[in-house]
Amino acid sequence: MAQSPLIELDDVGKVFITGALRHEVLKHISLKIEEGEYLALMGPSGSGKSTLLNILGCLDVPSGGHYRLEGREIASRADAELARVRNQFFGFVFQSFNLLGRYTVEENVALPMVYRGLARRERLQRARDLLARVGLKDFTRHLPSELSGGMQQRVAIARALVNSPKVLFADEPTGNLDSKTGQEIISLFGELSAEGTTLVVVTHDPRVAEHARRVLTLIDGEIVGDKRNGEAA
Amino acid sequence: MNPFEHLRIAMDALAANKLRSFLTMLGVIIGVASVIMLVAIGEGAKTYIRAELMGIGTNLLIIVPGKTETSGMGHMPSGVQKLTLTDMRALEKRASLIPVMTPVVVSNAPVKLGNRLRNVQIIGTDQNFEAVRNLHVEIGSFISKADVDGGRRVAVIGRTVKKELFGESNPLGRTVKIGETKFRVIGIMEKKGMTLGQDIDDHVFIPVETAQEIFDEDGLTNILAQVINESAIERAKEQIRGVLIDRHAGEEDFTIVSQQAMLSTMQTILGTFTYVLGGIASISLLVGGIGIMNIMLVSVRERTREIGLRKAIGAAQRDILLQFIIESVVLSMVGGLIGILIGAGIAYGAKAIFPVLPIDVSTWSVLTAFIFAFMVGAFFGIYPASKAARLNPIEALRYE
Ligand SMILES: Nc1ncnc2c1ncn2[C@@H]1O[C@H](COP(=O)(O)OP(=O)(O)OP(=O)(O)O)[C@@H](O)[C@H]1O
Ligand SMILES: [Mg+2]
């Protein structure tokens, strides 16, 4: 395939400056992510995993290097442009679920479509479809606080998927869950990957790494390992 | 993004915190309610006073003894030389622009019928009073020229006096005592009600010279002069001045008040009143706006993670900015709406209590209130909203 990768980082660096301190968190990161990949980002705490994920997801911008999305350089750092990319290309799942407590489950899931300009009825229909997909068909009208942690995380995953993103990013999605519910989420990711969703997951959980088809290891802001699991998996 | 979506987001956020939203609105509610109420009552009072002042007659000049610097209602006789009937006779001869005038002597006295007694205001005047003051006899007749010239002891009584002293019986031809003097009742005035705080129906009218005699008074309280037309008022004043200064040894020891001057004095007083209260209302709107800003700042802080999340899922700065500005505008405009309803309610309530006041809530005051509420919300919402819009999504999502 001569097609350009979905996301390409070319010599990306990230430097945080706090007062007089200059903290180089990412160094010379070059990376290609193809469509349909299931990638796990691992490494010790403070190694820069979240920072890398945020840059990949256009929540943050690199201090240097190139970022290409489907071969196009995202040079513009204009807020409106980045917001549009996040809305239409990416979905995010966080360690804490970040559901809005005053909205019902289906309204939470429909939220990204608000910023896409879809009509409310269409949004809620699509949200219900996705809730059915993550096994929460009977909880559409509940408030998030009425759901268990694992269910809330599934709502968050439905929300991340609602705009049919090119990539689903997750930053320690099982970090706030017990190991059984964590396993449910991991299985769900496995299913999504099998259905063709591109996944990039930051995790400390070795079970995620087992499922993922590619494991990237980061230490001190550098990629020290890029291992592909056997195709047989 | 559709502006209605922003509106929906704002409404949801406000509805999630109903009591807080309401308390935040209170400043605006009070400010707007007072503006609406004050404007309605103030305008009603102005219209009322104008109608009342115009109702006492047309093109009237009131000549009172004593010189005052200020024109209008407040006159303080300095007690130099009295204004007399002779002065009036001279004016009748020489002031060509004043076809009719009437003398007035006012005093308070008890009026008795048998063992019934009522303290009323006694007005000594002449046959022209009816025409000049636009007050008319209903039954019987008013004081005639012959009554005045002959110093007769006849009285015309107001409706209230009639009712209190005579009840249902016919007073015409009966005798009442004013002070210790007996008077024969010759007429009853038509019902008039309150005019400028005076109950015309509670007066008794007697011939001017008779009044001077029984009250032992040789001056007049005032002279009412009716000018031929409006444009002649200033010239008529000059004529009066000329005649009276001549008669008072070159002294201008009297004051001429025109209806117009009284009107504008009243309007000025009411206007100042309205400005002061309007100022208080504006301050309360301002305080309301600051209250909104304060709560919006709290709300932005509380919802930091929500803002981060919205940004992560595709909200641009502009969307966040609009969301919070609309929220603060909705707060102030709903407050404005409630304020308008309350203000109008109070105004119409006042109208129900004082039916004579032509109170009306004008469209322009409602519109102005709305526009002000909008501006307060927009102005005081900008700072918190831009603070929210500029939040870094990653830091906002990490906020505890
Ligand atoms: N906004 C920032 N300003 C300054 N330093 C930052 C900022 N964000 C992250 N860092 C620093 O960058 C380094 C990498 O942070 P990052 O959150 O990417 O690590 P991580 O690998 O995700 O760690 P963890 O596993 O604990 O989540 C850390 O040392 C952190 O202190
Ligand atoms: Mg992290």
Side-chain angles (χ1 to χ4, degrees):
Chain A
M1 282 199 292
Q3 217 182 332
S4 34
L6 188 54
I7 296 175
E8 184 177 4
L9 296 189
D10 184 4
D11 196 26
V12 159
K14 182 70 184 178
V15 179
F16 288 112
I17 294 164
T18 11
L21 285 174
R22 190 174 176 281
H23 193 154
E24 198 173 358
V25 176
L26 294 178
K27 301 159 193 161
H28 311 291
I29 304 277
S30 291
L31 174 66
K32 286 178 185 156
I33 298 172
E34 303 290 345
E35 205 159 332
E37 266 194 305
Y38 183 174
L39 188 144
L41 261 177
M42 301 193 72
S45 188
S47 55
K49 304 181 296 292
S50 297
T51 306
L52 178 56
L53 189 89
N54 291 336
I55 287 176
L56 285 168
C58 286
L59 274 170
D60 205 348
V61 289
S63 311
H66 299 276
Y67 178 110
R68 292 185 202 95
L69 180 65
E70 293 183 324
R72 278 186 304 110
E73 175 96 26
I74 305 286
S76 151
R77 274 133 205 232
D79 167 78
E81 168 69 2
L82 295 179
R84 193 188 60 82
V85 168
R86 291 196 292 266
N87 183 249
Q88 296 185 3
F89 288 82
F90 304 139
F92 293 92
V93 175
F94 305 95
Q95 180 172 350
S96 48
F97 323 119
N98 285 317
L99 301 175
L100 302 188
R102 61 178 182 275
Y103 291 133
T104 61
V105 161
E106 61 180 9
E107 285 170 337
N108 265 287
V109 173
L111 216 52
M113 290 184 282
V114 170
Y115 296 102
R116 224 175 128 184
L118 267 64
R120 182 174 163 84
R121 190 209 274 258
E122 197 181 332
R123 294 201 302 256
L124 292 179
Q125 184 51 53
R126 171 118 179 96
R128 283 191 287 267
D129 291 348
L130 276 161
L131 282 166
R133 171 66 195 83
V134 299
L136 291 174
K137 154 160 102 35
D138 298 329
F139 297 90
T140 53
R141 298 284 164 85
H142 284 62
L143 291 175
S145 56
E146 296 162 356
L147 270 53
S148 71
M151 288 158 102
Q152 292 192 39
Q153 191 61 302
R154 278 190 277 160
V155 174
I157 292 169
R159 180 179 64 195
L161 291 172
V162 85
N163 269 346
S164 310
K166 296 271 188 189
V167 189
L168 178 66
F169 292 104
D171 195 345
E172 302 192 35
T174 59
N176 273 2
L177 302 173
D178 61 53
S179 89
K180 188 175 154 293
T181 30
Q183 184 57 52
E184 286 172 23
I185 298 298
I186 293 166
S187 308
L188 179 57
F189 279 169
E191 291 169 30
L192 291 172
S193 172
E195 289 166 15
T197 310
T198 311
L199 291 156
V200 178
V201 184
V202 168
T203 186
H204 288 292
D205 191 333
R207 290 175 301 176
V208 178
E210 277 165 37
H211 274 75
R213 271 178 275 162
R214 183 179 172 196
V215 180
L216 217 70
T217 311
L218 221 63
I219 292 179
D220 277 342
E222 284 176 294
I223 298 177
V224 296
D226 187 351
K227 183 166 68 76
R228 281 171 204 270
N229 286 346
E231 299 298 324
Chain B
M1 202 175 133
N2 185 334
F4 285 105
E5 296 291 354
H6 287 117
L7 189 64
R8 193 202 302 272
I9 293 173
M11 298 298 269
D12 284 340
L14 295 175
N17 256 319
K18 288 192 189 65
L19 179 63
R20 181 160 100 182
S21 303
F22 175 74
L23 292 176
T24 310
M25 287 173 196
L26 263 185
V28 176
I29 292 178
I30 293 169
V32 168
S34 31
V35 171
I36 294 289
M37 180 184 82
L38 295 174
V39 169
I41 294 176
E43 288 298 307
K46 270 191 190 172
T47 314
Y48 169 75
I49 285 172
R50 165 175 290 271
E52 289 289 293
L53 270 176
M54 289 307 154
I56 65 172
T58 20
N59 305 328
L60 276 193
L61 289 178
I62 302 159
I63 309 160
V64 293
K67 182 68 197 157
T68 52
E69 291 309 317
T70 51
S71 61
M73 297 297 268
H75 38 247
M76 265 213 294
S78 46
V80 216
Q81 195 176 332
K82 285 174 177 172
L83 215 49
T84 62
L85 270 176
T86 336
D87 286 331
M88 196 185 91
R89 301 283 170 249
L91 284 172
E92 277 176 336
K93 271 208 201 75
R94 291 165 56 190
S96 58
L97 293 168
I98 303 166
V100 231
M101 57 186 89
T102 188
V104 175
V105 173
V106 180
S107 189
N108 281 299
V111 178
K112 277 178 284 186
L113 176 79
N115 53 9
R116 290 196 194 210
L117 181 145
R118 186 170 180 82
N119 270 303
V120 298
Q121 204 160 64
I122 313 292
I123 307 231
T125 187
D126 71 4
Q127 70 283 354
N128 290 329
F129 187 84
E130 267 192 297
V132 173
R133 274 300 311 275
N134 198 19
L135 293 170
H136 303 281
V137 135
E138 189 178 0
I139 303 163
S141 54
F142 199 72
I143 298 160
S144 67
K145 187 168 184 327
D147 293 333
V148 176
D149 293 346
R152 286 181 190 156
R153 303 198 163 167
V154 292
V156 177
I157 61 177
R159 273 281 157 192
T160 311
V161 182
K162 185 252 167 195
K163 193 169 124 248
E164 292 298 321
L165 293 183
F166 294 93
E168 291 310 305
S169 64
N170 181 7
L172 288 188
R174 309 258 311 260
T175 301
V176 292
K177 262 183 158 178
I178 298 177
E180 292 309 315
T181 319
K182 286 179 178 169
F183 282 77
R184 185 166 51 88
V185 177
I186 57 166
I188 304 161
M189 298 300 284
E190 63 182 18
K191 190 167 171 53
K192 188 78 183 183
M194 299 289 286
T195 303
L196 295 174
Q198 281 200 319
D199 186 358
I200 296 296
D201 299 335
D202 209 7
H203 286 175
V204 166
F205 302 88
I206 59 177
V208 59
E209 287 183 59
T210 317
Q212 287 181 324
E213 185 189 332
I214 66 167
F215 297 128
D216 193 21
E217 167 66 69
D218 46 12
L220 297 174
T221 309
N222 58 53
I223 298 169
L224 298 176
Q226 188 167 42
V227 183
I228 42 170
N229 59 50
E230 206 184 328
S231 56
I233 286 177
E234 282 312 310
R235 279 177 291 139
K237 275 185 175 175
E238 280 316 306
Q239 282 190 341
I240 296 168
R241 223 171 257 135
V243 174
L244 291 184
I245 289 176
D246 206 17
R247 288 188 44 81
H248 289 199
E251 284 285 340
E252 187 169 343
D253 52 3
F254 54 88
T255 304
I256 308 165
V257 185
S258 68
Q259 247 173 323
Q260 206 51 51
M262 286 164 70
L263 190 64
S264 59
T265 305
M266 294 300 273
Q267 306 274 44
T268 310
I269 293 169
L270 267 178
T272 313
F273 190 65
T274 311
Y275 281 132
V276 170
L277 293 175
I280 293 169
S282 318
I283 289 169
S284 129
L285 261 181
L286 193 75
V287 172
I290 293 168
I292 287 179
M293 178 154 100
N294 186 33
I295 288 299
M296 290 307 295
L297 284 171
V298 171
S299 176
V300 167
R301 176 175 285 257
E302 277 178 359
R303 281 147 71 193
T304 301
R305 286 176 77 94
E306 171 186 338
I307 295 162
L309 186 268
R310 286 185 185 275
K311 289 191 153 193
I313 62 174
Q317 287 191 356
R318 185 177 162 274
D319 295 315
I320 303 293
L321 187 80
L322 274 175
Q323 173 187 337
F324 282 92
I325 287 187
I326 288 177
E327 208 171 303
S328 109
V329 168
V330 166
L331 265 180
S332 66
M333 292 200 50
V334 171
L337 192 69
I338 297 175
I340 288 170
L341 292 178
I342 292 177
I346 296 175
Y348 287 119
K351 190 179 189 171
I353 297 168
F354 309 105
V356 292
L357 280 186
I359 292 172
D360 220 343
V361 176
S362 61
T363 319
W364 72 261
S365 71
V366 169
L367 277 179
T368 314
F370 250 127
I371 292 168
F372 262 89
F374 174 84
M375 294 199 313
V376 162
F379 180 77
F380 288 101
I382 283 174
Y383 176 66
S386 70
K387 227 179 148 163
R390 283 200 308 262
L391 282 176
N392 174 313
I394 302 162
E395 278 163 27
L397 277 166
R398 240 195 261 126
Y399 184 85
E400 288 307 326

